[in-house]
């Protein structure tokens, strides 16, 4: 829920967005890993949040104190990022000028890939059993499928498939570049793409695999001097992801009678919908009776409720705000809060410190020296914290569910192969 495109002064909005995005690109110009660094995507999203706030302030639809708060939050984030905690460097072995690369060996890599294929299959079969074959023809309401995967204890099926989002890309890259397992990688990626297009309701997520691969490419380049990214590979990935996204766009635009350009513009602007609702529409008033404990419980609802520390909230706090503003009761839905909203929701003006801490955390995980999969997981999860803490909590739960499986594979590998990792060093 943001101003409709036709209601906007497009020229003014574009000036405001450019004024927010270009300075961020310049400030962080020496920090990018490559063209598809997730940091660029994060800055892009933050710019949409700042620009919708600045636009509504300039048009008289937002209080000046909130504009000051958001700008101070951005300054705090930048200061936090450039004041990062320097993680203690491990000792460098003799004759090696860099920390060694550590990743799963061939057996562990194969076992982990096969396990993730199994997880995806379980999720797909459960969805077919629950909502029928209509999911293959597009006759099933996506909202029904989403609720099916998250209500009544069925969330366990979604969680076991969720882990594949984290490690399918780094595992396939590792299998291909380290062990040349081309057939397994080709099958896994084809199955993953097929499942994402048929059984997922965010087809554009395939396009975001580019940013996952960017993390992998940076790690290989940093530790082994191997350049994995070239224009040919990027065009293939972008073509697959863009094609899936185009299918969704054509379907939606045909139903609602809008052009693709209008829909894309509205979707980009809607990135800042949580910020708009909370500050410009005074959605913060929905939480006037929430004490600090209640706010923390809502913020950590996914973790606390999953482990039965508290009952599930009927509505997430962003959906609660939407109901307050519109009267629409929509469990499981709501705009992404982003760091400005989360910070103010929890701490009021103390949210500025919250934004500083997030900046500090982001730079820390980007600079840490650790194992291959750990580096990828940390650098996937932490940026999500800027947009929606609920997604991060779902991710943590999925990882916790995967730990026993990982340990079992590791025990088997230790018994039969005596080791579970390979260690390489660039001399």
């Amino acid at each position: 829920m943001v101003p409709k495109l036709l209601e906007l002064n497009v020229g003014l909005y574009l000036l405001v967005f450019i004024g927010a995005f270009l300075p961020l690109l310049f400030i962080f110009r020496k920090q990018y890993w490559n063209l598809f660094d997730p940091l660029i995507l994060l800055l892009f999203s933050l710019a949409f949040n700042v620009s919708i706030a600045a636009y509504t302030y300039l048009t008289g639809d937002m209080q000046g104190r909130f504009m000051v708060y958001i700008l101070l939050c951005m300054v705090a984030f930048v200061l936090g990022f450039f004041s990062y905690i320097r993680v203690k460097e491990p000792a460098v072995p003799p004759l090696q000028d860099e920390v060694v690369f550590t990743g799963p060996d061939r057996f562990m890599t194969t076992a982990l890939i096969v396990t993730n294929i199994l997880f995806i299959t379980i999720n797909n079969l459960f969805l077919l059993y629950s909502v029928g074959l209509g999911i293959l023809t597009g006759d099933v309401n996506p909202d029904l499928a989403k609720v099916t995967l998250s209500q009544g204890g069925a969330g366990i099926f979604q969680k076991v498939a969720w882990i594949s989002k984290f490690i399918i890309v780094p595992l396939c890259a590792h299998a291909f570049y380290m062990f040349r397992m081309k057939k397994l990688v080709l099958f896994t990626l084809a199955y993953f793409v097929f499942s994402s297009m048929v059984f997922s309701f965010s087809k554009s997520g395939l396009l975001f695999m580019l940013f996952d691969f960017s993390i992998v490419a940076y790690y290989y380049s940093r530790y082994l001097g191997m350049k994995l990214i070239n224009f040919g590979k990027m065009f293939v990935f972008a073509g697959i992801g863009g094609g899936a996204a185009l299918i969704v766009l054509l379907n939606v635009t045909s139903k609602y009678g809008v052009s693709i350009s209008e829909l894309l513009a509205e979707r980009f602007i809607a990135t800042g919908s949580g910020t708009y609702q909370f500050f410009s529409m005074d959605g913060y008033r929905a939480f006037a009776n929430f004490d600090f404990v209640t706010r923390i419980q809502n913020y950590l609802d996914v973790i606390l409720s999953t482990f039965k520390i508290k009952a599930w909230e009927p509505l997430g706090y962003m959906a609660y705000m939407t109901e307050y503003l519109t009267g629409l009761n929509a469990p499981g839905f709501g705009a992404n809060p982003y760091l400005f909203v989360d910070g103010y929701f929890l701490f009021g003006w103390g949210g500025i410190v919250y934004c500083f801490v997030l900046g500090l955390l982001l730079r820390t995980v980007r600079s840490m020296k650790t194992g291959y999969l750990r580096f990828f997981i940390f650098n996937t999860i932490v940026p999500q914290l800027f947009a929606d803490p609920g997604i991060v909590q779902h991710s943590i739960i999925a990882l916790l569910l995967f730990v026993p499986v990982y340990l079992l594979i590791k025990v088997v590998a230790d018994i039969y192969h005596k080791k579970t990792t390979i260690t390489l060093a660039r001399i």
Side-chain angles (χ1 to χ4, degrees):
M1 183 170 53
V2 291
K4 297 294 183 182
L5 187 63
L6 295 178
E7 299 172 359
L8 288 174
N9 180 329
V10 177
L12 176 60
Y13 179 80
L14 284 176
L15 284 175
V16 173
F17 173 75
I18 292 171
F21 187 48
L22 290 185
L24 287 174
L25 279 181
F26 178 79
I27 292 170
F28 289 86
R29 66 191 184 282
K30 295 183 179 180
Q31 306 301 323
Y32 308 131
W33 294 338
N34 47 57
L35 183 61
F36 294 96
D37 188 338
L39 177 61
I40 299 176
L41 181 63
L42 174 60
L43 296 179
F44 191 65
S45 300
L46 292 180
F48 275 114
N49 277 266
V50 173
S51 60
I52 194 63
Y55 175 85
T56 53
Y57 168 70
L58 292 174
T59 56
D61 295 323
M62 190 176 74
Q63 301 176 49
R65 64 190 180 99
F66 289 140
M67 191 68 245
V68 171
Y69 166 79
I70 290 171
L71 291 176
L72 289 176
C73 282
M74 282 303 302
V75 172
F77 158 65
V78 172
L79 291 176
F81 186 91
F82 288 102
S83 306
Y84 75 105
I85 300 171
R86 296 183 180 275
V87 180
K88 185 178 180 181
E89 304 286 345
V92 180
L95 302 179
Q96 296 173 353
D97 63 359
E98 290 197 17
V99 178
V100 294
F101 169 101
T102 301
D105 72 350
R106 188 184 185 93
F107 176 85
M108 280 290 289
T109 301
T110 304
L112 289 171
I113 288 176
V114 171
T115 301
N116 276 276
I117 291 174
L118 178 62
F119 282 175
I120 295 171
T121 302
I122 291 173
N123 179 77
N124 295 347
L125 290 176
F126 172 75
L127 197 53
L128 277 174
Y129 172 78
S130 302
V131 302
L133 294 175
I135 192 173
L136 301 176
T137 61
D139 294 329
V140 171
N141 185 330
D143 293 343
L144 170 64
K146 289 180 181 179
V147 172
T148 299
L149 283 173
S150 59
Q151 302 295 320
I156 186 66
F157 294 97
Q158 188 182 45
K159 296 295 187 301
V160 296
W162 196 299
I163 186 65
S164 66
K165 295 198 318 182
F166 291 106
I167 59 178
I168 204 72
V169 171
L171 282 175
C172 284
H174 191 62
F176 182 83
Y177 288 104
M178 286 296 179
F179 308 116
R180 300 299 175 186
M181 293 189 284
K182 297 181 180 180
K183 293 182 179 179
L184 177 62
V185 169
L186 181 61
F187 171 80
T188 302
L189 289 179
Y191 184 62
F192 182 76
V193 169
F194 170 78
S195 297
S196 297
M197 293 182 68
V198 175
F199 296 97
S200 171
F201 301 95
S202 179
K203 275 64 175 181
S204 59
L206 288 174
L207 195 58
F208 290 109
M209 286 176 65
L210 286 171
F211 297 94
D212 291 342
F213 189 71
S214 166
I215 301 173
V216 174
Y218 171 74
Y219 194 92
Y220 267 74
S221 173
R222 178 181 179 183
Y223 288 102
L224 296 176
M226 295 175 60
K227 294 186 179 299
L228 307 189
I229 289 183
N230 60 50
F231 285 111
K233 293 171 185 173
M234 289 300 98
F235 278 127
V236 171
F237 281 122
I240 294 173
L246 182 62
I247 292 172
V248 176
L249 287 173
L250 290 173
N251 184 44
V252 173
T253 52
S254 63
K255 285 184 178 180
Y256 295 99
V258 296
S259 68
I260 290 180
S261 59
E262 288 175 332
L263 181 63
L264 284 175
E266 290 186 350
R267 288 293 296 171
F268 282 136
I269 295 171
T271 302
S273 58
T275 299
Y276 173 77
Q277 293 173 31
F278 192 88
F279 296 109
S280 301
M281 297 185 68
D282 294 338
Y284 69 93
R285 297 183 187 277
F287 311 110
N289 297 324
F290 282 36
D291 57 27
F292 181 68
V293 173
T294 302
R295 291 169 188 262
I296 290 292
Q297 288 177 341
N298 275 264
Y299 180 83
L300 298 175
D301 181 54
V302 175
I303 286 284
L304 297 178
S305 301
T306 298
F307 292 102
K308 308 302 181 183
I309 298 174
K310 60 180 285 297
W312 284 96
E313 295 293 333
L315 293 173
Y317 60 97
M318 295 303 287
Y320 181 84
M321 181 180 69
T322 299
E323 183 182 43
Y324 171 83
L325 293 173
T326 67
L328 177 65
N329 185 288
F333 295 88
N336 288 339
Y338 277 88
L339 67 169
F340 314 117
V341 174
D342 282 332
Y344 198 91
F345 172 73
L346 291 172
F347 308 112
W349 281 75
I352 297 171
V353 178
Y354 174 85
C355 294
F356 177 87
V357 171
L358 287 189
L360 194 70
L361 180 61
L362 179 64
R363 180 62 181 273
T364 300
V365 299
R366 286 171 64 88
S367 306
M368 65 194 308
K369 293 181 183 291
T370 185
Y372 177 63
L373 291 182
R374 287 192 297 274
F375 183 86
F376 180 86
I377 289 171
F378 278 123
N379 279 281
T380 302
I381 288 181
V382 169
Q384 294 174 346
L385 190 59
F386 285 75
D388 188 349
I391 295 176
V392 175
Q393 293 169 62
H394 279 296
S395 302
I396 292 172
I397 293 167
L399 289 169
L400 290 176
L401 287 172
F402 188 72
V403 166
V405 178
Y406 176 84
L407 292 177
L408 178 61
I409 295 173
K410 190 174 187 303
V411 168
V412 173
D414 285 337
I415 292 173
Y416 292 100
H417 295 268
K418 306 304 181 186
K419 64 177 183 176
T420 57
T421 61
I422 58 169
T423 302
L424 303 172
R426 188 173 61 181
I427 300 177

